[in-house]
Amino acid sequence: MSEATPSEAATLLSDPSGRTGPAAPGAAIRRVIAVLWQWKGFLAAGAFLLLLAMVLATPHLLTAYDPLEGDALAGLRAPNATHPFGTDRLGRDVLARTLYGARYSLSIGFGATAISVGFGVLLGIAGGQKSRLLDETICRLFDVISSFPGVLMALLVVTFLGQGMLNVAIAVGVAGIPKFGRVVRAQTQLARNADYVTQAYIYGRSRAAVFFHHLLPNVLLAIPVIATVYVGTTILAVSSLSFLGLGPQPPTPEWGVMLAESRDVLRIAWWPGVFPGAALTLTVIAFTVIGNALQRRFERRG
Amino acid sequence: MWRRILSRLSTSLMVAWGSVTFAFLALHTLPGRIEDILAGDLDYPGLREAIATEWGLNRSPAEQYLDFLLRIASGDFGTSYVLRQPVGGVLGSQVMPTVQLALAAGLLALVLAVLAASATAGRSRSARALAALLELLFASTPVFWLGILLLMAFSFSLRWFPVSGAQGWQALVLPSVALALPTAGLLAQVLRDSMEKTLEQPFVVTIRSRGLGEWPLRLRHVLRHAALPAVTLGGWLIGGLLGGAVITEKVFGRPGLGTVTLNAVLSHDVPVVLAVVLMAAFIHVAASTLLDILYVLVDPRLKAQ
Amino acid sequence: MSCPIPIRSSSRSTPATAPLVAIEGLTIRFRADGPHRPAVQDMDLVIHPGECVALVGESGSGKSVTARSLLNLVGPGAAVTARRFEIDGADARNFGPADWQRLRGTFAGLVMQDALVSLDPLRTIGREVGEVVRHHRLLRTPAEIRDRVIRTLDRVGMPDPDVRASQYAHQLSGGLRQRALIAAAIAGGPRLIIADEPTTALDASVQKQVLEVLRQRVGEGAGLLLISHDLAVVADLADRVLVMRDGRVLDAGPTGGVLARPRHAYTRQLIAAVPSADSRGSRLSSSRLETAGGPTGNSVIVRDPLPPRPPIGIDTVLEARGLTKVYRYPGRAGDAGRLAALADVSFSIRSGEVLGLVGESGSGKSTCAKILLGLVEPDAGWVTLLGQPWSGISEKTRRPLRRSLQYIPQDPLSSFDPRYRVADIIGENLLSLPRSRRQDRIVALLDRVGLDAGYLKRPPLSLSGGQRQRVAVARALAARPALIVCDEPVSALDISIQAQVIDLIAELQSELETALLFISHDIGLVHHLADRVLVLNGGRVVEQGPVEKVFLTPTQDYTRTLLAARPGPLTDRLGPPSPARRE
């Protein structure tokens, strides 16, 4: 590629199409539409998460029904005008339960992710340092933890600690530590051996300055992105455990619990088994899409 | 190469030992006496004494640990105090249905993922977009919800497949599909990603310049490269299938390890849960060791190092 | 491809002279490029059997795309059109995928750059070479195929072909690997060989051998399309040359003619911007060819002089004595596990002096640079910087001195923190200045390297290769060093950009009287720039002394081989095309 002169390059940068002069309004609108279309997945996922945030904050504005109180005489009504998602066996409104359920599934999911990220980052950065012994120890620890399949590890934790939301969050969180830890360790090692770190030593900067100015920021930069990708999977794992009856107990309107309850009435009613599952799946998809989009952007900027 | 394989084997042994130690420590650091933990909600005359003798609770912790290690190593996982039977016997009768399910689902997932990835990697935008959408959808769908939907459609509405049980091949179809699809979704994403990276490699141009068509190119050359990163997922995959089998068995009311384990969890039958978890960990370690060794054998570049 | 003009097959003459490829008006457009500027525009190309045609140009000139279009391997999203597109006498515009696949490997073979990534790393050389034969079912039995593989490897001069056939690409040296790649391309007996930068990643001596293998194929009657960024590489081999830039052919004709009387200013620049002994003391980027008297007269290179250099100082900036470094490979006992990267290397650099360090890959150049930069400790020997100990001391003691010794790397992009912008990158080397004065100094430094203040906020990813290297130069100068280590600073750049960056380094060097250690594999470049030169081979100093003495009257055999291996200076060939070249 021939080298552009500074002024040429500046024009090229300000207008990527290389054209100069004001663009026609039609072209501008078309360009906006093209950009929107290119980001359609990201935008849809973002819109869904915004909606979810609203549901989390103010579920009572969106439904008049109580998630726990039902009219036993109006059990298993199919979706209709008063109950858009129908009612369950005990006559509780499925929409209300699905909306309130977001709180449980998301808070356990976020809690578990926080545990995974916190310990993963600490251990990963420690493992990425110069000490071979420390690195080996941490790697073997990750191997041990990840040798227990997530769900079974959670079963063990719940057997010891008992059922409940906190214990499920701990179980899923601990099982996720190696995932983050390994990524952070790899990033740390990459950054430690990067040319820009060598260059900083050539400037005459101290070990501490290199660590805090170059290494740490570059390693931590990726964390929120990776965490977003994993929140989705974590929510999935958490709801699986609830479905097995290890997490929150009925009548808690948690999505996994609701689906477990729906299993008994599946022969006669489809709605209690469809709506919470759809909400769960859409939430997972939304986090994954956003996370992946952020990751792609992140990787492209180097 | 042998050095590498030996070091991998020793690492695996260490990890297996670590997981047993982890279980032992967990048992001992919990608040309360071991007898109470192991007894759970049960209480019948002689139970606590039986536990104390079996686990050697009157001896020093070091001796207990050594004893525990040796017992696990010899395949003795203790006694279920709920079922009043040796754990090995309890699990032994339930292993086959779970293994069947995990194997069927694993194979199905693998075949689907390889086909989807080979057919769409680097091809037209619409095909890729469709495949990506399906993969995202399946990878994000919980196994149990997929199971519920499948039950609704094929068992209750269409009545093609039985609602529960493990009799005959028909009973295996829905559970393995439910377990396979999410795994296939994830695997296909990884495979297609690495196939597309491989397709950008210069040697692919060389191979095309020899006159190979797309399918021979993909199946003979590219898939092998793409499989390498996927192999590292193998261990995780097997763990996921074992864990997923527990959930699937619950959805479809299938007998198997899942049902036994869940009952054990709810009745605090610690020896049974411990045995299942440790066994799963061993299977996971063995499988990933095997795959890693395979990796070294497949990639000549690693042999040289 | 569409064409309103029917092609008459009667235009083909006797098979002996029928062209392998006959293309007129080739235009290749990528969808992503938009409507303007196709990748290749209105190009004509004819290749006859037994003839070597070369496409020469810098990156982005469209030469590789043109070559690949001959096999329909341009890639997705490309639209190829031509008025005439005949391959082996058949109109290729109507070819379907199956026609193209039949052609590939049997009619035309492709040789690419860097066999390490151009051969399937998971398959043995034997399988790779035999694939064409097996795939097109040219031979049936395994024994026949094996025989063909061994014979083909033998033909490209591969020693021990039956041993090599069972090895993998990564187990061979660069030269042997490239031979294997050629063998894989010619195993099906193609009449046309397309070689896309076949020697670019190779050392000069190996490059010469590989070109020789290609020359033999042409001698046997194959047509060769040779693609290169380097006119000097093709000058020996090509019968005809096409010079390309931005998708257009600027100059075309018999090699001797194009070199002697280039019609286009760009070709002249391409020829003249090559650094060599003759260009010493002048600006490379100002180089131009001027024709002396009449249209048939010969061309002379004219260059503007660089500002005069002050005399070299008398005080020593850096001194290295007996540097030795041995790397050990774990798991291999004895000498097999030891590699002497550097053995007893001594030299010194005086203030304001430019010392060239020359060697092929594996000669110990990089290890030497790392020791001088204080990143690796030597196993034996010592270094002093400005009279003070520099090796064998703690990093803490070294730190205050570090500013006197700066570094310009080969790949500046990876040496920039990915979060930083140009101002941060340079500013990090100015931390001793108060914040208020830092900005002015950064702007002043950017100005020194020919960039304006508009670059302050630019992320390095948005800069071109030449601009990145300018930022790296500014960063090194920010510390006001006594010595700068330049490690192959221009080897990744196109020749015209290389000329600009080298001029910049030369100008600043003479103006600031900074000493340079200039590491390069390019002897012409070192001859252009350095005062003294050090030739390294296998970690040992082969020869050192003033550039003129070492390069013009070398005393060691190795230096002579090194000098002989480089493609001769193009200017030697400036003159009327010798009648011997085209009989």
Side-chain angles (χ1 to χ4, degrees):
Chain A
M1 200 177 288
S2 65
E3 191 177 24
T5 64
S7 57
E8 272 169 18
T11 6
L12 282 175
L13 192 79
S14 60
D15 185 3
S17 67
R19 276 167 295 178
T20 45
I29 292 170
R30 261 204 302 280
R31 205 176 310 162
V32 169
I33 291 174
V35 169
L36 288 181
W37 180 248
Q38 198 193 343
W39 289 91
K40 57 190 181 297
F42 185 82
L43 292 174
F48 181 82
L49 288 188
L50 268 181
L51 187 78
L52 205 64
M54 225 164 74
V55 168
L56 279 181
T58 56
H60 54 275
L61 292 184
L62 298 163
T63 174
Y65 293 99
D66 187 299
L68 299 176
E69 296 289 320
D71 177 1
L73 296 176
L76 289 182
R77 291 276 162 82
N80 56 49
T82 45
H83 298 284
F85 285 7
T87 61
D88 68 3
R89 197 160 42 94
L90 298 175
R92 294 169 299 196
D93 182 56
V94 174
L95 174 63
R97 286 178 68 73
T98 306
L99 290 178
Y100 280 89
R103 282 191 175 177
Y104 296 94
S105 300
L106 279 146
S107 55
I108 307 175
F110 277 118
T113 308
I115 294 175
S116 307
V117 173
F119 285 95
V121 167
L122 277 180
L123 291 171
I125 288 181
Q129 297 307 311
K130 219 170 179 175
S131 159
R132 268 294 294 274
L133 183 69
L134 189 65
D135 186 25
E136 279 290 308
T137 316
I138 288 172
C139 280
R140 291 298 86 77
L141 180 68
F142 288 161
D143 284 346
V144 169
I145 297 176
S146 59
S147 70
F148 295 101
V151 173
L152 296 176
M153 165 93 134
L155 291 180
L156 191 66
V157 170
V158 172
T159 316
F160 286 153
L161 301 181
Q163 291 133 310
M165 297 201 330
L166 182 64
N167 293 345
V168 164
I170 291 176
V172 174
V174 170
I177 291 174
K179 253 192 313 208
F180 283 92
R182 289 197 179 116
V183 175
V184 173
R185 174 180 166 273
Q187 289 275 345
T188 312
Q189 281 189 333
L190 220 61
R192 210 162 56 82
N193 296 319
D195 288 350
Y196 59 82
V197 164
T198 311
Q199 189 68 42
Y201 284 120
I202 292 172
Y203 291 142
R205 306 210 75 179
S206 67
R207 202 171 285 282
V210 170
F211 183 82
F212 285 108
H213 284 105
H214 294 290
L215 229 139
L216 204 57
N218 275 301
V219 170
L220 292 185
L221 212 58
I223 303 299
V225 176
I226 310 168
T228 316
V229 180
Y230 281 127
V231 164
T233 3
T234 311
I235 292 174
L236 209 60
V238 164
S239 65
S240 303
L241 296 177
S242 309
F243 174 79
L244 293 178
L246 307 176
Q249 298 299 308
T252 313
E254 201 274 345
W255 291 335
V257 176
M258 289 168 69
L259 287 170
E261 288 175 337
S262 81
R263 169 79 175 79
D264 305 329
V265 297
L266 220 49
R267 195 179 294 274
I268 37 179
W270 56 269
W271 50 95
V274 166
F275 292 113
L280 174 57
T281 306
L282 283 176
T283 307
V284 177
I285 290 179
F287 276 112
T288 315
V289 167
I290 297 251
N292 284 341
L294 289 177
Q295 195 161 33
R296 265 200 303 279
R297 241 189 111 63
F298 184 78
E299 277 166 7
R300 218 177 312 143
R301 67 172 286 285
Chain B
M1 172 174 80
W2 288 111
R3 229 186 128 73
R4 216 184 158 87
I5 290 176
L6 272 180
S7 102
R8 183 66 185 88
L9 280 174
S10 67
T11 310
S12 305
L13 274 178
M14 255 175 70
V15 171
W17 166 73
S19 58
V20 175
T21 310
F22 180 79
F24 181 82
L25 284 177
L27 199 59
H28 279 259
T29 45
L30 284 171
R33 296 194 309 153
I34 307 269
E35 291 97 316
D36 295 332
I37 296 168
L38 288 176
D41 307 329
L42 293 180
D43 200 9
Y44 50 82
L47 171 62
R48 265 144 236 264
E49 289 73 20
I51 293 175
T53 14
E54 187 181 326
W55 290 76
L57 291 179
N58 48 0
R59 282 179 291 166
S60 73
E63 277 177 303
Q64 284 183 44
Y65 173 62
L66 209 65
D67 186 51
F68 183 70
L69 266 185
L70 288 175
R71 277 202 301 133
I72 301 282
S74 63
D76 175 9
F77 286 95
T79 316
S80 160
Y81 307 108
V82 179
L83 304 169
R84 302 201 191 194
Q85 282 171 23
V87 172
V90 173
L91 297 181
S93 59
Q94 301 294 325
V95 164
M96 270 326 281
T98 305
V99 168
Q100 262 177 13
L101 174 60
L103 272 183
L107 274 178
L108 185 60
L110 202 63
V111 171
L112 284 177
V114 167
L115 281 181
S118 314
T120 59
R123 292 281 171 88
S124 79
R125 254 165 78 175
S126 47
R128 282 180 58 215
L130 182 71
L133 189 72
L134 283 177
E135 283 157 16
L136 176 66
L137 199 66
F138 285 131
S140 309
T141 307
V143 172
F144 53 94
W145 190 48
L146 200 57
I148 287 175
L149 293 180
L150 288 173
L151 272 179
M152 268 188 224
F154 296 104
S155 298
F156 294 124
S157 299
L158 296 172
R159 294 172 192 280
W160 287 356
F161 298 105
V163 174
S164 62
Q167 299 301 309
W169 64 269
Q170 295 96 331
L172 193 60
V173 174
L174 290 185
S176 30
V177 170
L179 185 52
L181 284 181
T183 314
L186 267 173
L187 200 59
Q189 279 176 342
V190 174
L191 261 180
R192 206 169 37 131
D193 239 40
S194 63
M195 275 189 98
E196 279 175 358
K197 281 207 182 90
T198 311
L199 281 168
E200 283 168 15
Q201 297 290 312
F203 72 81
V204 170
V205 179
T206 312
I207 293 165
R208 286 210 172 104
S209 79
R210 293 177 193 150
L212 266 72
E214 277 302 304
W215 279 102
L217 166 71
R218 275 155 200 250
L219 297 180
R220 224 183 290 162
H221 292 268
V222 175
L223 194 60
R224 225 171 124 188
H225 288 263
L228 292 179
V231 161
T232 48
L233 271 182
W236 163 87
L237 196 76
I238 288 166
L241 283 173
L242 284 175
V246 173
I247 302 168
T248 315
E249 282 170 0
K250 158 114 174 162
V251 177
F252 290 93
R254 263 178 78 85
L257 283 182
T259 315
V260 176
T261 317
L262 270 181
N263 289 337
V265 170
L266 297 177
S267 58
H268 287 276
D269 198 346
V270 174
V272 172
V273 180
L274 209 54
V276 170
V277 172
L278 281 178
M279 263 168 52
F282 292 156
I283 292 174
H284 181 276
V285 170
S288 35
T289 310
L290 253 160
L291 286 171
D292 269 8
I293 292 173
L294 206 71
Y295 199 131
V296 177
L297 293 179
V298 169
D299 193 340
R301 286 166 296 186
L302 293 178
K303 264 187 231 169
Q305 285 170 12
Chain C
M1 278 176 260
S2 66
C3 164
I5 308 161
I7 302 294
R8 272 169 304 186
S9 52
S10 63
S11 66
R12 275 195 281 157
S13 45
T14 55
T17 55
L20 298 168
V21 172
I23 294 174
E24 285 169 21
L26 175 70
T27 298
I28 304 174
R29 229 177 254 282
F30 285 95
R31 217 178 294 142
D33 286 353
H36 42 259
R37 230 203 90 185
V40 175
Q41 199 166 2
D42 198 21
M43 151 137 201
D44 298 344
L45 178 66
V46 177
I47 306 170
H48 290 275
E51 177 188 47
C52 172
V53 177
L55 293 182
V56 178
E58 297 183 318
S59 45
S61 61
K63 55 191 193 306
S64 288
V65 177
T66 305
R68 291 192 187 177
S69 74
L70 298 187
L71 291 171
N72 195 29
L73 283 174
V74 180
V80 182
T81 54
R83 284 194 303 279
R84 175 177 176 189
F85 200 117
E86 281 181 306
I87 290 187
D88 199 17
D91 188 352
R93 287 170 303 171
N94 309 324
F95 279 5
D99 299 315
W100 283 113
Q101 282 168 21
R102 224 176 359 260
L103 213 72
R104 295 178 193 153
T106 55
F107 169 74
L110 176 66
V111 181
M112 299 211 300
Q113 185 184 340
D114 192 3
L116 188 60
V117 290
S118 294
L119 286 168
D120 187 338
L122 300 187
R123 287 156 55 99
T124 59
I125 298 297
R127 285 190 72 81
E128 283 288 284
V129 174
E131 181 158 35
V132 170
V133 184
R134 213 173 297 119
H135 179 74
H136 290 285
R137 305 224 161 81
L138 300 176
L139 296 169
R140 301 283 172 158
T141 68
E144 279 176 330
I145 293 173
R146 167 128 190 116
D147 187 52
R148 168 76 69 93
V149 168
I150 304 294
R151 276 194 298 120
T152 313
L153 285 174
D154 196 45
R155 274 170 72 199
V156 297
M158 179 84 81
D160 308 320
D162 36 329
V163 180
R164 301 301 182 188
S166 56
Q167 287 182 316
Y168 293 91
H170 71 268
Q171 291 169 307
L172 303 186
S173 69
L176 290 187
R177 220 183 271 149
Q178 203 65 23
R179 282 166 204 246
L181 188 60
I182 295 176
I186 65 170
R191 282 179 286 150
L192 174 66
I193 301 170
I194 301 168
D196 191 349
E197 302 269 8
T199 60
T200 298
L202 303 176
D203 282 331
S205 53
V206 183
Q207 167 171 312
K208 202 168 175 128
Q209 296 162 8
V210 170
L211 289 175
E212 203 46 52
V213 171
L214 289 172
R215 186 201 301 278
Q216 280 171 21
R217 301 280 81 71
V218 177
E220 290 169 15
L224 174 64
L225 179 64
L226 182 64
I227 289 104
S228 180
H229 65 283
D230 190 348
L231 261 175
V233 165
V234 306
D236 269 342
L237 201 53
D239 298 297
R240 286 186 297 120
V241 180
L242 289 85
V243 180
M244 294 184 75
R245 185 188 202 181
D246 293 340
R248 288 173 184 277
V249 175
L250 299 182
D251 235 329
T255 310
V258 169
L259 291 181
R261 287 177 303 280
R263 275 171 301 171
H264 201 279
Y266 175 67
T267 315
R268 295 178 193 162
Q269 198 198 1
L270 214 55
I271 296 170
V274 177
S276 67
D278 303 329
S279 61
R280 268 183 84 82
S282 60
R283 271 180 224 274
L284 283 172
S285 56
S286 71
S287 307
R288 57 204 178 267
L289 280 175
E290 280 175 7
T291 316
T296 49
N298 294 344
S299 308
V300 253
I301 295 180
V302 182
R303 296 186 182 92
D304 299 340
L306 281 166
R309 281 182 62 188
I312 294 164
I314 42 163
D315 34 324
T316 302
V317 175
L318 181 132
E319 182 161 21
R321 280 288 162 264
L323 292 184
T324 300
K325 183 77 196 172
V326 179
Y327 287 113
R328 286 172 184 82
Y329 294 109
R332 283 188 220 167
D335 284 347
R338 289 157 56 89
L339 175 81
L342 221 51
D344 197 20
V345 170
S346 304
F347 58 91
S348 60
I349 305 173
R350 285 183 294 163
S351 67
E353 184 184 36
V354 180
L355 175 67
L357 181 55
V358 195
E360 302 198 303
S361 48
S363 62
K365 286 178 299 182
S366 323
T367 307
C368 187
K370 280 184 194 150
I371 291 176
L372 297 188
L373 287 167
L375 300 171
V376 165
E377 282 291 328
D379 293 335
W382 47 262
V383 184
T384 58
L385 180 65
L386 297 171
Q388 299 179 45
W390 179 248
S391 65
I393 56 174
S394 74
E395 182 62 30
K396 214 175 181 142
T397 348
R398 197 179 278 137
R399 210 168 287 142
L401 262 173
R402 277 221 177 258
R403 301 185 57 76
S404 321
L405 175 55
Q406 290 293 309
Y407 180 52
I408 300 178
Q410 176 178 5
D411 171 20
L413 184 63
S414 69
S415 77
F416 300 151
D417 189 313
R419 296 170 305 122
Y420 278 17
R421 292 170 184 261
V422 169
D424 310 313
I425 292 165
I426 300 172
E428 196 179 9
N429 221 355
L430 291 169
L431 291 177
S432 49
L433 279 185
R435 199 172 277 276
S436 51
R437 289 184 42 214
R438 214 179 285 161
Q439 183 81 2
D440 295 340
R441 178 97 171 97
I442 295 172
V443 173
L445 281 163
L446 278 179
D447 187 52
R448 280 314 264 286
V449 298
L451 299 174
D452 59 38
Y455 283 84
L456 285 172
K457 294 275 168 250
R458 291 274 292 271
L461 217 54
S462 75
L463 302 179
S464 71
Q467 290 165 344
R468 286 172 193 162
Q469 206 51 277
R470 285 169 194 267
V471 172
V473 172
R475 169 177 68 183
L477 293 179
R480 299 183 196 276
L483 170 67
I484 302 178
V485 175
C486 310
D487 190 358
E488 302 265 9
V490 293
S491 61
L493 301 176
D494 279 331
I495 188 89
S496 53
I497 312 296
Q498 164 177 316
Q500 295 170 11
V501 172
I502 289 298
D503 286 348
L504 176 73
I505 291 177
E507 247 169 69
L508 290 169
Q509 191 277 330
S510 70
E511 201 181 317
L512 303 171
E513 297 180 48
T514 315
L516 295 184
L517 177 74
F518 196 90
I519 303 174
S520 179
H521 69 282
D522 184 341
I523 289 171
L525 180 54
V526 170
H527 207 155
H528 168 81
L529 200 65
D531 301 309
R532 281 194 308 124
V533 65
L534 187 79
V535 181
L536 267 187
N537 180 35
R540 290 180 182 279
V541 179
V542 176
E543 199 164 351
Q544 68 172 312
V547 159
E548 304 291 332
K549 184 172 161 291
V550 172
F551 284 163
L552 297 181
T553 55
T555 60
Q556 300 297 314
D557 286 344
Y558 178 76
T559 317
R560 277 186 214 114
T561 345
L562 208 60
L563 288 165
R566 100 191 118 133
L570 280 163
T571 41
D572 287 1
R573 282 190 214 86
L574 296 180
S578 63
R581 272 209 69 78
R582 283 205 64 74
E583 279 122 331

